[in-house]
Amino acid sequence: MTGERRERRAPTGSAANPERLYVLTGGTEAAERAALDLVTLIVARGEAPPTAPPEQAALLRMCATPLSVAELSAYLNLPFSVVTVLLTELLAARLVEARAPVVRSALPDRTLLEAVMHGLQQL
């Protein structure tokens, strides 16, 4: 290593403006948020109403195909907590649907499925 230190980039966009984040969330407290985690998939159920704020309209456009909350946060360049507040409002209005990701351990064991298939073939 050369001993050089890289400079940290200054926050850009919404991260540089905490007042904007407060306005986006409307001062919503943590108790009022939906239970979403980084890998929860979000799918739009409808189009954005004309009165929707730009951030919510962008979320609805992007969620035409399922996207995780982490992806939405990265694409919008907004903190996870702000995206969860925006999604909570969209969930309450039934404009989006939250889907838990399929957990690999929740799927049946392959050997069990093969045994069932073999048993059905023997009938």
Side-chain angles (χ1 to χ4, degrees):
M1 292 188 132
T2 62
E4 293 180 26
R5 294 191 66 151
R6 292 194 292 176
E7 282 189 39
R8 240 181 193 207
R9 289 187 284 170
T12 58
S14 60
N17 189 353
E19 293 86 15
R20 178 174 178 266
L21 297 178
Y22 182 81
V23 170
L24 284 176
T25 61
T28 304
E29 295 185 20
E32 299 172 10
R33 291 186 204 156
L36 301 171
D37 59 6
L38 290 171
V39 294
T40 301
L41 297 175
I42 306 295
V43 183
R45 296 178 73 186
E47 294 186 15
T51 58
E55 291 78 12
Q56 288 184 348
L59 279 170
L60 288 168
R61 280 192 307 273
M62 290 183 344
C63 292
T65 59
L67 286 175
S68 71
V69 179
E71 290 172 310
L72 294 170
S73 177
Y75 290 146
L76 291 175
N77 195 27
L78 291 172
F80 171 74
S81 58
V82 173
V83 173
T84 57
V85 170
L86 295 172
L87 288 172
T88 299
E89 293 171 2
L90 292 173
L91 284 165
R94 297 189 179 275
L95 292 172
V96 295
E97 179 181 330
R99 298 180 183 169
V102 176
V103 180
R104 189 81 171 138
S105 63
L107 297 175
D109 184 29
R110 181 182 175 98
T111 56
L112 173 65
L113 292 176
E114 288 173 352
V116 169
M117 185 176 71
H118 180 69
L120 289 173
Q121 289 173 342
Q122 296 299 321
L123 292 177

